[in-house]
Amino acid sequence: MSRYTRPPNTSLFVRNVADATRPEDLRREFGRYGPIVDVYIPLDFYTRRPRGFAYVQYPLFHSLL
């Protein structure tokens, strides 16, 4: 076993996100399943439009480990 162990993945990858979707929309929908730390919708470097996917990050619950 290595000395470095990564924490469990706490983010959810969401595909097919519409261009008009805001982080608040995803917070409302995915907040039903637990508290949310962050919502990230990447933008295209050149067009500054959403790339069509997002990440929803949930907190790491140490009590579950």
Side-chain angles (χ1 to χ4, degrees):
M1 187 165 142
S2 71
R3 288 193 286 164
Y4 175 75
T5 57
R6 291 179 25 181
N9 191 358
T10 60
S11 63
L12 179 68
F13 178 69
V14 183
R15 298 186 335 174
N16 298 328
V17 175
D19 286 355
T21 303
R22 299 170 300 157
E24 298 82 28
D25 301 331
L26 294 175
R27 280 186 184 274
R28 184 178 58 247
E29 292 300 321
F30 289 95
R32 301 177 193 181
Y33 305 103
I36 295 177
V37 174
D38 189 28
V39 174
Y40 174 59
I41 303 175
L43 301 178
D44 181 86
F45 181 78
Y46 297 104
T47 65
R48 306 308 295 166
R49 292 180 57 202
R51 294 181 60 193
F53 62 91
Y55 295 96
V56 177
Q57 184 180 8
Y58 290 95
L60 176 64
F61 293 107
H62 293 287
S63 61
L64 296 177
L65 295 178

